[in-house]
Amino acid sequence: MAWNEYSFGLLVVFLAALVGFLALARERDDLHKLLLVDLVEVASIAVIALLGTDLAEALILPGLVVGIAELLALSQLFIAKEGIAGVPARGLNIEVVQKSPATVIIPGFLVVYGIILSGFTGGGVAALGLVFYFMSHRFLGDFHVLELASGISWALWVAAFFVFMFAPEFWFLALMGAAVGILLKVITKISLVGVMWGEPQ
Amino acid sequence: MIIQKISRVLSNYDNILPLFAGACAILAVVALLSLPLPYFEDQLYPKQIVPGSTLNPYDRGGPPFTRVDIRLQYPENSPTAGYVTAYLTPFSLFLARNTMYMGTTIVAHPGGILDEILYNTRGLDTVVEPTILFISFAIAAYIFHRRED
Amino acid sequence: MNEIGGIPLFYLEFGDIVAYFSPFTLALFLLALVFSVFVIVSRPERQIDIAFGADAFFAKDISLAELRFRRFMAIACGLACMGAMVTGDVFDFTLFVSLVGICNVGIVAAVKNHHVQDAAYQYGLVALAGTVPLFSAAAIVVTTTGSLSMLELASPGAPAVPLIARALLVLGVMGEGMAPFYAAKAEMFRAPGAPYVIMCSLSSLLIFLRVTEVVLLL
């Protein structure tokens, strides 16, 4: 059988995966295990990318999100297991961050721009703004609002899916519902990455 | 005896991940040995690159609110497939007419081939995926809240 | 088509993803459904610890919040199992199996016990690493055959699925909670609350049964 471009790609990816898994097999430290697992996830994304069609791009997104989601849960479990709680979470101790109004203006701009973009990338942009805001101000709000928003976005998405499947003539409504659902979902989830630590209020 | 030994190794949960990683490494070697794999040329959702288009690499043709033909597995199950692919929001239409950068940001706007696959033809995948995110988030939030007491 | 699990009785179409109910998948689906109903209606068992060297015992108390959370995880796990049992798409199957894996971690991670949490963490790492062979398998299937639908791949004249894709799929399912790693779950079974913990083993068993069908079908 001939060596096509696909096989050469697989050769590189599986070599990388082999290195990653060998490192994982030798590692004994729990935190490093988590980081290495996250690293070998890249290999699975690369195998999907080698398909090279539009379908590949659509399959990468779930693959990527599954990795991020499990990482979120496992890192929280790691914190609980090691008892790292009790570290006070303050804002960044930098004078310009604490004093200037830029810490409100820049997140505000990013959130508005993200909402205009909508969809997955828009959610990422808006979440970046929120992460910056939470980092520079001590996060005092409670998570219940964000948890509620993530639940609503999930329901919105599932509703949009059922419209697509059972009433395809309303595809436009479903498209907008799914776009708003993913926007809310990505904003709430990504903005909490790195914020959920320290002392809960 | 040997089973006893194996089960003793397995019962220590610190050994599970190294064992699994070792199995994955062995399978990676097997994958390397089995390598020249054929690439099936007649793929679903083929990628077209239209040089010069402002929507490049996602230009699949069609003005908004018309249908384009896309190659999917079961066309009879998705009677409206093709509408979402052609759709552009007013803002993205403005970008496409005035700049060359629409193609790089199309994935951020509703509409386009990726939304067609993600929401419509392979919608169940994308329902499972936020469910995984939702469950992971629920676990993280529960563990976080429990530290309050 | 290749009738490993019997002739499909009916199909449920979701666009490109077609779920099919053959006698085999229907039986597994009903098993997952019945057990999910059991989880909804049953009360958790209270674990009794006997104090060593003294004539005393104490029952472990389960808080309402923990009960509700673990019941939610067990129901989600049941739903994920039902999806994994009937889906007719290889990539969708891998996603459902990953969902089963993370739900299993959630069921035990809620327990406030250092040993149990440590075991849940190690198991979660395996579940996360297991997604690598799973997704790789699905990607190799679609690249070499041009289709992800099991029904298409099982029909005569479909391109052959490489052996390595099947091997990766099986290894991935093993990583998400399966037989050789079973012994490690003993640590997890120290967690109090009977019906929820049993959901872990039942889901492992179900996805194992289903993956044998998938591998033989491809």
Side-chain angles (χ1 to χ4, degrees):
Chain A
M1 205 181 290
W3 275 81
N4 44 13
E5 277 178 326
Y6 175 61
S7 298
F8 279 113
L10 276 185
L11 178 73
V12 175
V13 172
F14 275 113
L15 275 177
L18 179 63
V19 172
F21 278 123
L22 284 179
L24 198 55
R26 291 168 53 93
E27 184 58 59
R28 307 309 291 181
D29 184 79
D30 278 349
L31 183 60
H32 286 119
K33 279 181 188 170
L34 187 62
L35 298 176
L36 281 173
V37 167
D38 198 39
L39 196 65
V40 291
E41 285 272 300
V42 179
S44 71
I45 304 289
V47 179
I48 303 175
L50 283 172
L51 173 58
T53 60
D54 287 335
L55 182 61
E57 294 192 34
L59 296 185
I60 282 174
L61 194 58
L64 197 63
V65 169
V66 169
I68 294 172
E70 300 201 359
L71 194 65
L72 178 70
L74 285 181
S75 51
Q76 200 58 241
L77 190 55
F78 179 76
I79 290 173
K81 172 175 95 77
E82 299 286 311
I84 305 178
V87 182
R90 289 193 199 89
L92 289 175
N93 192 17
I94 301 169
E95 194 180 357
V96 68
V97 169
Q98 286 173 343
K99 296 270 167 66
S100 80
T103 54
V104 180
I105 295 167
I106 294 173
F109 172 76
L110 286 174
V111 168
V112 170
Y113 181 58
I115 289 170
I116 292 173
L117 284 177
S118 83
F120 191 84
T121 325
V125 170
L128 194 67
L130 283 181
V131 166
F132 185 55
Y133 182 80
F134 290 153
M135 271 167 69
S136 45
H137 298 254
R138 194 172 171 201
F139 184 55
L140 292 171
D142 60 331
F143 288 117
H144 291 291
V145 181
L146 289 172
E147 281 162 23
L148 195 67
S150 82
I152 289 171
S153 69
W154 183 80
L156 199 61
W157 188 309
V158 173
F161 167 70
F162 279 111
V163 172
F164 262 128
M165 289 305 133
F166 300 113
E169 60 269 32
F170 300 115
W171 60 269
F172 186 71
L173 190 74
L175 174 65
M176 288 301 149
V180 173
I182 197 172
L183 174 78
L184 280 175
K185 181 192 84 169
V186 175
I187 290 179
T188 51
K189 302 287 157 57
I190 296 187
S191 64
L192 286 180
V193 173
V195 179
M196 268 182 157
W197 69 298
E199 286 168 337
Q201 273 76 40
Chain B
M1 279 311 270
I2 186 100
I3 293 172
Q4 221 171 17
K5 266 185 191 160
I6 291 171
S7 72
R8 188 169 302 140
V9 172
L10 280 177
S11 67
N12 180 0
Y13 48 74
D14 277 327
N15 293 333
I16 297 300
L17 186 66
L19 266 172
F20 185 74
C24 286
I26 291 167
L27 216 54
V29 172
V30 174
L32 286 172
L33 292 178
S34 74
L35 245 188
L37 287 177
Y39 183 88
F40 191 80
E41 291 298 331
D42 193 22
Q43 289 283 349
L44 303 169
Y45 307 101
K47 197 164 191 64
Q48 316 149 10
I49 301 225
V50 186
S53 163
T54 55
L55 291 172
N56 203 13
Y58 296 102
D59 193 352
R60 299 290 174 272
F65 293 103
T66 57
R67 257 184 93 174
V68 288
D69 269 334
I70 50 174
R71 192 162 178 279
L72 59 162
Q73 183 88 58
Y74 298 108
E76 66 278 8
N77 291 348
S78 306
T80 57
Y83 282 112
V84 175
T85 309
Y87 179 71
L88 291 173
T89 59
F91 179 64
S92 46
L93 198 62
F94 168 80
L95 275 182
R97 289 211 176 124
N98 294 291
T99 70
M100 286 298 288
Y101 309 116
M102 186 51 213
T104 55
T105 59
I106 192 168
V107 285
H109 305 267
I113 180 70
L114 293 185
D115 283 5
E116 182 82 86
I117 303 172
L118 284 174
Y119 303 155
N120 190 358
T121 60
R122 295 186 62 86
L124 193 59
D125 275 355
T126 333
V127 166
V128 182
E129 170 240 306
T131 310
I132 295 176
L133 194 49
F134 187 53
I135 295 286
S136 308
F137 181 66
I139 296 170
Y142 178 80
I143 295 173
F144 180 78
H145 281 308
R146 203 181 43 194
R147 278 193 264 140
E148 288 176 24
D149 27 85
Chain C
M1 66 177 268
N2 176 355
E3 283 150 12
I4 285 290
I7 304 156
L9 304 171
F10 59 98
Y11 301 95
L12 197 60
E13 287 116 359
F14 295 110
D16 271 10
I17 297 167
V18 174
Y20 66 93
F21 294 79
S22 66
F24 181 74
T25 63
L26 185 64
L28 295 182
F29 177 83
L30 288 177
L31 194 57
L33 180 69
V34 167
F35 207 82
S36 302
V37 172
F38 278 159
V39 165
I40 293 171
V41 298
S42 64
R43 308 279 304 162
E45 124 189 326
R46 283 182 158 191
Q47 211 174 33
I48 304 281
D49 273 6
I50 308 247
F52 192 70
D55 186 17
F57 61 90
F58 46 92
K60 280 184 183 163
D61 210 25
I62 299 163
S63 69
L64 186 67
E66 186 185 319
L67 184 148
R68 282 170 60 189
F69 178 77
R70 296 182 73 198
R71 188 170 57 196
F72 167 69
M73 281 296 150
I75 293 167
C77 189
L79 291 174
C81 275
M82 284 185 236
M85 289 312 107
V86 295
T87 183
D89 184 276
V90 180
F91 191 76
D92 203 39
F93 175 71
T94 62
L95 278 177
F96 272 120
V97 169
S98 323
L99 181 55
V100 169
I102 192 76
C103 285
N104 282 351
V105 174
I107 290 172
V108 279
V111 179
K112 225 177 176 175
N113 175 317
H114 184 264
H115 285 291
V116 175
Q117 281 192 343
D118 212 20
Y121 180 73
Q122 300 295 338
Y123 176 67
L125 285 176
V126 174
L128 190 52
T131 60
V132 177
L134 272 180
F135 292 153
S136 307
I140 291 175
V141 166
V142 69
T143 324
T144 52
T145 65
S147 176
L148 277 169
S149 164
M150 292 174 195
L151 299 168
E152 295 295 317
L153 291 170
S155 60
V161 174
L163 194 64
I164 185 69
R166 299 175 205 210
L168 284 169
L169 191 67
V170 172
L171 187 69
V173 171
M174 283 166 114
E176 296 296 335
M178 287 276 312
F181 303 103
Y182 228 51
K185 282 189 175 178
E187 200 64 40
M188 289 184 158
F189 287 117
R190 276 187 208 167
Y196 311 137
V197 175
I198 288 170
M199 197 74 213
C200 293
S201 359
L202 185 83
S203 60
S204 299
L205 177 69
L206 286 176
I207 58 175
F208 180 53
L209 286 172
R210 172 75 173 142
V211 80
T212 46
E213 193 224 351
V214 173
V215 166
L216 291 173
L217 200 65
L218 291 181

